[in-house]
Amino acid sequence: MISRNRAVPSKMVSSERDLGVTRAQSGKGFSTWQVWLAVVIAVAMCSPLLAQPPVFQHVVIDATNPSDPHCKALGDIDGDGLLDALAASSSGGGLFWYEYPDWTKHPIRASGSWTTDMQVADIDNDGDLDVVIPDSSGLEWYENPRPGGDPRT
């Protein structure tokens, strides 16, 4: 029977064993300091790329947004595969969705007041995103007219 056990060189220190570095007494293979030097060089070469802060672009979607827009959400309202933005007023200013990429403003309801939460989900399982939003009288569901209709109208 062939034995699969392999002997670990007795001169190997624990840090070399932890790194998986094997070095025979004859000096062949990589020493621990050579491995660490390679790691330090690799990190130093990549660090300028990692050190760059992300650059965000400031875009105003609606300069005349609904008054007190306490409710905000994101979802693909028109089904084009891109996220659209939604905003609703807490003081009578309406509920709107903004079509990406030009942020065209579309009313869902021109007036109304809602509290602080809004979600989009496919409530009726018809393949489009509907809007669920609470107001002072309860929870409201705005059914997306898709797939048969156009949410832009």
Side-chain angles (χ1 to χ4, degrees), residues 24-69:
Q25 282 185 327
S26 66
K28 293 183 180 179
F30 295 105
S31 67
T32 302
W33 73 267
Q34 289 172 319
V35 171
W36 281 110
L37 179 62
V39 169
V40 168
I41 290 171
V43 169
M45 290 175 64
C46 294
S47 65
L49 297 175
L50 299 175
Q52 297 296 322
V55 178
F56 288 86
Q57 180 182 0
H58 178 243
V59 176
V60 175
I61 293 176
D62 183 1
T64 60
N65 59 284
S67 58
D68 302 317

Short mmCIF file of all heavy atoms in Angstrom, two decimals, residues 24-69:
data_model
loop_
_atom_site.label_atom_id
_atom_site.label_comp_id
_atom_site.label_asym_id
_atom_site.label_seq_id
_atom_site.Cartn_x
_atom_site.Cartn_y
_atom_site.Cartn_z
N ALA A 24 12.94 23.62 1.96
CA ALA A 24 13.86 22.59 2.42
C ALA A 24 15.11 23.25 2.99
O ALA A 24 15.38 24.42 2.75
CB ALA A 24 14.23 21.66 1.27
N GLN A 25 15.86 22.49 3.73
CA GLN A 25 17.07 23.04 4.33
C GLN A 25 18.08 23.47 3.28
O GLN A 25 18.93 24.30 3.54
CB GLN A 25 17.70 22.01 5.27
CG GLN A 25 17.00 21.92 6.59
CD GLN A 25 17.72 20.99 7.54
OE1 GLN A 25 18.33 20.02 7.11
NE2 GLN A 25 17.67 21.31 8.80
N SER A 26 17.95 22.95 2.09
CA SER A 26 18.91 23.31 1.05
C SER A 26 18.70 24.72 0.54
O SER A 26 19.52 25.22 -0.22
CB SER A 26 18.82 22.31 -0.11
OG SER A 26 17.55 22.42 -0.72
N GLY A 27 17.57 25.39 0.94
CA GLY A 27 17.35 26.77 0.54
C GLY A 27 16.49 26.91 -0.70
O GLY A 27 16.27 28.01 -1.17
N LYS A 28 16.02 25.81 -1.28
CA LYS A 28 15.17 25.90 -2.46
C LYS A 28 13.76 26.33 -2.06
O LYS A 28 13.30 26.03 -0.99
CB LYS A 28 15.13 24.57 -3.19
CG LYS A 28 16.47 24.20 -3.79
CD LYS A 28 16.37 22.93 -4.55
CE LYS A 28 17.74 22.60 -5.14
NZ LYS A 28 17.74 21.37 -5.87
N GLY A 29 13.05 27.01 -2.94
CA GLY A 29 11.71 27.48 -2.66
C GLY A 29 11.74 28.94 -2.21
O GLY A 29 12.80 29.59 -2.22
N PHE A 30 10.62 29.47 -1.82
CA PHE A 30 10.52 30.86 -1.39
C PHE A 30 10.58 30.95 0.12
O PHE A 30 9.94 30.18 0.82
CB PHE A 30 9.20 31.49 -1.87
CG PHE A 30 9.10 31.60 -3.36
CD1 PHE A 30 8.29 30.74 -4.08
CD2 PHE A 30 9.84 32.55 -4.04
CE1 PHE A 30 8.19 30.83 -5.44
CE2 PHE A 30 9.75 32.65 -5.41
CZ PHE A 30 8.93 31.79 -6.12
N SER A 31 11.30 31.93 0.60
CA SER A 31 11.33 32.15 2.04
C SER A 31 10.16 33.05 2.42
O SER A 31 9.52 33.67 1.58
CB SER A 31 12.65 32.81 2.45
OG SER A 31 12.71 34.12 1.93
N THR A 32 9.88 33.10 3.70
CA THR A 32 8.76 33.90 4.19
C THR A 32 8.92 35.36 3.81
O THR A 32 7.98 36.00 3.36
CB THR A 32 8.64 33.76 5.71
OG1 THR A 32 8.48 32.39 6.02
CG2 THR A 32 7.47 34.54 6.25
N TRP A 33 10.10 35.91 3.96
CA TRP A 33 10.28 37.33 3.66
C TRP A 33 10.09 37.61 2.18
O TRP A 33 9.60 38.67 1.80
CB TRP A 33 11.63 37.85 4.18
CG TRP A 33 12.83 37.39 3.38
CD1 TRP A 33 13.60 36.31 3.61
CD2 TRP A 33 13.36 38.04 2.22
NE1 TRP A 33 14.57 36.20 2.67
CE2 TRP A 33 14.47 37.28 1.80
CE3 TRP A 33 13.02 39.17 1.50
CZ2 TRP A 33 15.22 37.61 0.69
CZ3 TRP A 33 13.78 39.51 0.39
CH2 TRP A 33 14.87 38.74 0.00
N GLN A 34 10.42 36.64 1.30
CA GLN A 34 10.21 36.84 -0.13
C GLN A 34 8.72 36.87 -0.47
O GLN A 34 8.28 37.67 -1.29
CB GLN A 34 10.92 35.74 -0.92
CG GLN A 34 12.43 35.86 -0.91
CD GLN A 34 13.10 34.66 -1.52
OE1 GLN A 34 12.68 33.52 -1.30
NE2 GLN A 34 14.16 34.91 -2.30
N VAL A 35 7.95 36.02 0.19
CA VAL A 35 6.51 36.01 -0.03
C VAL A 35 5.92 37.32 0.44
O VAL A 35 5.12 37.95 -0.25
CB VAL A 35 5.86 34.81 0.68
CG1 VAL A 35 4.34 34.91 0.63
CG2 VAL A 35 6.33 33.51 0.04
N TRP A 36 6.30 37.77 1.64
CA TRP A 36 5.77 39.03 2.17
C TRP A 36 6.19 40.21 1.31
O TRP A 36 5.41 41.14 1.11
CB TRP A 36 6.19 39.24 3.63
CG TRP A 36 5.36 38.43 4.56
CD1 TRP A 36 5.75 37.34 5.28
CD2 TRP A 36 3.98 38.62 4.84
NE1 TRP A 36 4.71 36.84 6.00
CE2 TRP A 36 3.59 37.61 5.75
CE3 TRP A 36 3.02 39.52 4.42
CZ2 TRP A 36 2.30 37.49 6.24
CZ3 TRP A 36 1.73 39.41 4.90
CH2 TRP A 36 1.38 38.40 5.80
N LEU A 37 7.40 40.20 0.80
CA LEU A 37 7.86 41.27 -0.08
C LEU A 37 7.00 41.32 -1.34
O LEU A 37 6.59 42.39 -1.78
CB LEU A 37 9.34 41.09 -0.44
CG LEU A 37 9.93 42.14 -1.37
CD1 LEU A 37 9.87 43.52 -0.73
CD2 LEU A 37 11.36 41.78 -1.74
N ALA A 38 6.69 40.17 -1.90
CA ALA A 38 5.83 40.12 -3.09
C ALA A 38 4.43 40.66 -2.78
O ALA A 38 3.84 41.39 -3.58
CB ALA A 38 5.75 38.69 -3.62
N VAL A 39 3.90 40.33 -1.62
CA VAL A 39 2.58 40.83 -1.22
C VAL A 39 2.62 42.34 -1.06
O VAL A 39 1.73 43.06 -1.52
CB VAL A 39 2.10 40.14 0.08
CG1 VAL A 39 0.88 40.82 0.65
CG2 VAL A 39 1.82 38.67 -0.18
N VAL A 40 3.64 42.87 -0.39
CA VAL A 40 3.76 44.32 -0.18
C VAL A 40 3.88 45.05 -1.52
O VAL A 40 3.24 46.08 -1.73
CB VAL A 40 4.97 44.63 0.73
CG1 VAL A 40 5.29 46.12 0.74
CG2 VAL A 40 4.69 44.14 2.15
N ILE A 41 4.66 44.52 -2.44
CA ILE A 41 4.81 45.14 -3.75
C ILE A 41 3.48 45.13 -4.50
O ILE A 41 3.08 46.13 -5.10
CB ILE A 41 5.92 44.45 -4.57
CG1 ILE A 41 7.29 44.76 -3.95
CG2 ILE A 41 5.88 44.87 -6.03
CD1 ILE A 41 8.44 43.96 -4.54
N ALA A 42 2.76 44.01 -4.45
CA ALA A 42 1.47 43.93 -5.14
C ALA A 42 0.47 44.92 -4.56
O ALA A 42 -0.25 45.60 -5.30
CB ALA A 42 0.92 42.51 -5.04
N VAL A 43 0.42 45.04 -3.24
CA VAL A 43 -0.49 45.99 -2.60
C VAL A 43 -0.10 47.42 -2.95
O VAL A 43 -0.94 48.25 -3.24
CB VAL A 43 -0.53 45.76 -1.08
CG1 VAL A 43 -1.25 46.90 -0.38
CG2 VAL A 43 -1.20 44.44 -0.76
N ALA A 44 1.20 47.71 -2.93
CA ALA A 44 1.67 49.06 -3.25
C ALA A 44 1.33 49.44 -4.69
O ALA A 44 0.98 50.59 -4.97
CB ALA A 44 3.17 49.17 -3.02
N MET A 45 1.39 48.48 -5.59
CA MET A 45 1.08 48.77 -6.99
C MET A 45 -0.41 49.00 -7.19
O MET A 45 -0.82 49.78 -8.05
CB MET A 45 1.56 47.63 -7.88
CG MET A 45 3.08 47.54 -7.98
SD MET A 45 3.64 46.11 -8.90
CE MET A 45 3.00 46.45 -10.51
N CYS A 46 -1.26 48.36 -6.40
CA CYS A 46 -2.71 48.49 -6.54
C CYS A 46 -3.28 49.62 -5.70
O CYS A 46 -4.38 50.09 -5.96
CB CYS A 46 -3.39 47.18 -6.15
SG CYS A 46 -3.01 45.84 -7.28
N SER A 47 -2.59 50.05 -4.68
CA SER A 47 -3.16 51.02 -3.74
C SER A 47 -3.58 52.34 -4.37
O SER A 47 -4.58 52.90 -3.95
CB SER A 47 -2.23 51.25 -2.55
OG SER A 47 -1.03 51.84 -2.97
N PRO A 48 -2.89 52.90 -5.36
CA PRO A 48 -3.40 54.13 -5.95
C PRO A 48 -4.79 53.95 -6.57
O PRO A 48 -5.62 54.84 -6.51
CB PRO A 48 -2.37 54.49 -7.02
CG PRO A 48 -1.11 53.84 -6.57
CD PRO A 48 -1.55 52.58 -5.88
N LEU A 49 -5.05 52.77 -7.12
CA LEU A 49 -6.38 52.51 -7.69
C LEU A 49 -7.42 52.41 -6.59
O LEU A 49 -8.54 52.87 -6.74
CB LEU A 49 -6.35 51.22 -8.50
CG LEU A 49 -5.43 51.22 -9.71
CD1 LEU A 49 -5.41 49.83 -10.34
CD2 LEU A 49 -5.87 52.24 -10.73
N LEU A 50 -7.06 51.77 -5.48
CA LEU A 50 -7.99 51.59 -4.38
C LEU A 50 -8.20 52.87 -3.59
O LEU A 50 -9.23 53.05 -2.97
CB LEU A 50 -7.50 50.47 -3.46
CG LEU A 50 -7.36 49.09 -4.10
CD1 LEU A 50 -6.74 48.12 -3.12
CD2 LEU A 50 -8.69 48.59 -4.60
N ALA A 51 -7.23 53.76 -3.61
CA ALA A 51 -7.29 54.97 -2.81
C ALA A 51 -8.16 56.06 -3.45
O ALA A 51 -8.49 57.03 -2.79
CB ALA A 51 -5.88 55.51 -2.56
N GLN A 52 -8.53 55.91 -4.70
CA GLN A 52 -9.33 56.93 -5.37
C GLN A 52 -10.75 56.92 -4.83
O GLN A 52 -11.41 55.89 -4.85
CB GLN A 52 -9.37 56.67 -6.89
CG GLN A 52 -8.01 56.75 -7.55
CD GLN A 52 -7.42 58.14 -7.46
OE1 GLN A 52 -8.11 59.13 -7.56
NE2 GLN A 52 -6.12 58.21 -7.26
N PRO A 53 -11.22 58.05 -4.34
CA PRO A 53 -12.61 58.09 -3.85
C PRO A 53 -13.58 58.03 -5.03
O PRO A 53 -13.27 58.48 -6.13
CB PRO A 53 -12.69 59.43 -3.14
CG PRO A 53 -11.65 60.28 -3.80
CD PRO A 53 -10.54 59.33 -4.20
N PRO A 54 -14.76 57.46 -4.81
CA PRO A 54 -15.73 57.43 -5.90
C PRO A 54 -16.19 58.85 -6.22
O PRO A 54 -16.27 59.70 -5.34
CB PRO A 54 -16.88 56.60 -5.34
CG PRO A 54 -16.72 56.67 -3.87
CD PRO A 54 -15.26 56.87 -3.59
N VAL A 55 -16.46 59.09 -7.47
CA VAL A 55 -16.91 60.42 -7.91
C VAL A 55 -18.40 60.32 -8.21
O VAL A 55 -18.83 59.58 -9.08
CB VAL A 55 -16.14 60.87 -9.17
CG1 VAL A 55 -16.65 62.21 -9.65
CG2 VAL A 55 -14.65 60.93 -8.88
N PHE A 56 -19.19 61.06 -7.44
CA PHE A 56 -20.62 61.10 -7.65
C PHE A 56 -20.99 62.33 -8.45
O PHE A 56 -20.41 63.39 -8.28
CB PHE A 56 -21.37 61.15 -6.30
CG PHE A 56 -21.32 59.86 -5.54
CD1 PHE A 56 -20.26 59.55 -4.72
CD2 PHE A 56 -22.36 58.95 -5.67
CE1 PHE A 56 -20.22 58.36 -4.03
CE2 PHE A 56 -22.33 57.75 -4.98
CZ PHE A 56 -21.27 57.45 -4.16
N GLN A 57 -21.96 62.18 -9.33
CA GLN A 57 -22.45 63.30 -10.11
C GLN A 57 -23.76 63.77 -9.47
O GLN A 57 -24.65 62.96 -9.21
CB GLN A 57 -22.70 62.87 -11.56
CG GLN A 57 -23.20 63.98 -12.44
CD GLN A 57 -23.47 63.49 -13.86
OE1 GLN A 57 -23.29 62.33 -14.19
NE2 GLN A 57 -23.91 64.40 -14.70
N HIS A 58 -23.87 65.06 -9.22
CA HIS A 58 -25.08 65.64 -8.64
C HIS A 58 -26.05 65.96 -9.75
O HIS A 58 -25.74 66.71 -10.67
CB HIS A 58 -24.71 66.91 -7.85
CG HIS A 58 -25.89 67.60 -7.26
ND1 HIS A 58 -26.25 68.87 -7.62
CD2 HIS A 58 -26.80 67.20 -6.36
CE1 HIS A 58 -27.33 69.23 -6.95
NE2 HIS A 58 -27.69 68.23 -6.19
N VAL A 59 -27.24 65.36 -9.70
CA VAL A 59 -28.27 65.58 -10.72
C VAL A 59 -29.55 65.99 -10.01
O VAL A 59 -30.00 65.30 -9.10
CB VAL A 59 -28.52 64.30 -11.54
CG1 VAL A 59 -29.66 64.50 -12.53
CG2 VAL A 59 -27.25 63.86 -12.25
N VAL A 60 -30.13 67.10 -10.41
CA VAL A 60 -31.42 67.52 -9.87
C VAL A 60 -32.49 66.90 -10.75
O VAL A 60 -32.58 67.19 -11.94
CB VAL A 60 -31.55 69.06 -9.84
CG1 VAL A 60 -32.93 69.47 -9.39
CG2 VAL A 60 -30.47 69.65 -8.95
N ILE A 61 -33.30 66.04 -10.18
CA ILE A 61 -34.35 65.35 -10.93
C ILE A 61 -35.54 66.28 -11.17
O ILE A 61 -36.11 66.31 -12.25
CB ILE A 61 -34.79 64.06 -10.20
CG1 ILE A 61 -33.63 63.06 -10.21
CG2 ILE A 61 -36.03 63.46 -10.82
CD1 ILE A 61 -33.89 61.80 -9.43
N ASP A 62 -35.94 67.05 -10.15
CA ASP A 62 -37.09 67.94 -10.27
C ASP A 62 -36.86 69.15 -9.37
O ASP A 62 -36.95 69.04 -8.15
CB ASP A 62 -38.37 67.20 -9.85
CG ASP A 62 -39.62 68.03 -10.02
OD1 ASP A 62 -39.54 69.19 -10.47
OD2 ASP A 62 -40.71 67.52 -9.68
N ALA A 63 -36.57 70.28 -9.96
CA ALA A 63 -36.31 71.50 -9.18
C ALA A 63 -37.57 72.02 -8.50
O ALA A 63 -37.49 72.75 -7.52
CB ALA A 63 -35.73 72.59 -10.08
N THR A 64 -38.73 71.61 -8.99
CA THR A 64 -40.00 72.02 -8.38
C THR A 64 -40.73 70.79 -7.85
O THR A 64 -41.91 70.60 -8.10
CB THR A 64 -40.88 72.76 -9.40
OG1 THR A 64 -41.16 71.87 -10.49
CG2 THR A 64 -40.20 74.02 -9.91
N ASN A 65 -39.99 69.98 -7.13
CA ASN A 65 -40.54 68.72 -6.64
C ASN A 65 -41.79 68.92 -5.79
O ASN A 65 -42.09 70.03 -5.36
CB ASN A 65 -39.47 67.98 -5.82
CG ASN A 65 -38.98 68.80 -4.65
OD1 ASN A 65 -38.21 69.71 -4.84
ND2 ASN A 65 -39.41 68.47 -3.44
N PRO A 66 -42.53 67.84 -5.52
CA PRO A 66 -43.70 67.97 -4.66
C PRO A 66 -43.28 68.59 -3.31
O PRO A 66 -42.20 68.30 -2.80
CB PRO A 66 -44.17 66.53 -4.47
CG PRO A 66 -43.57 65.76 -5.58
CD PRO A 66 -42.31 66.46 -5.95
N SER A 67 -44.16 69.42 -2.76
CA SER A 67 -43.84 70.05 -1.47
C SER A 67 -43.68 68.98 -0.39
O SER A 67 -44.43 68.00 -0.36
CB SER A 67 -44.94 71.03 -1.08
OG SER A 67 -46.18 70.37 -1.00
N ASP A 68 -42.67 69.15 0.45
CA ASP A 68 -42.39 68.20 1.53
C ASP A 68 -42.38 66.76 1.03
O ASP A 68 -43.19 65.93 1.45
CB ASP A 68 -43.41 68.36 2.68
CG ASP A 68 -43.40 69.77 3.23
OD1 ASP A 68 -42.30 70.32 3.43
OD2 ASP A 68 -44.50 70.32 3.45
N PRO A 69 -41.44 66.41 0.15
CA PRO A 69 -41.43 65.06 -0.43
C PRO A 69 -40.87 64.02 0.55
O PRO A 69 -39.74 63.55 0.42
CB PRO A 69 -40.51 65.22 -1.65
CG PRO A 69 -39.56 66.29 -1.24
CD PRO A 69 -40.36 67.24 -0.37
#
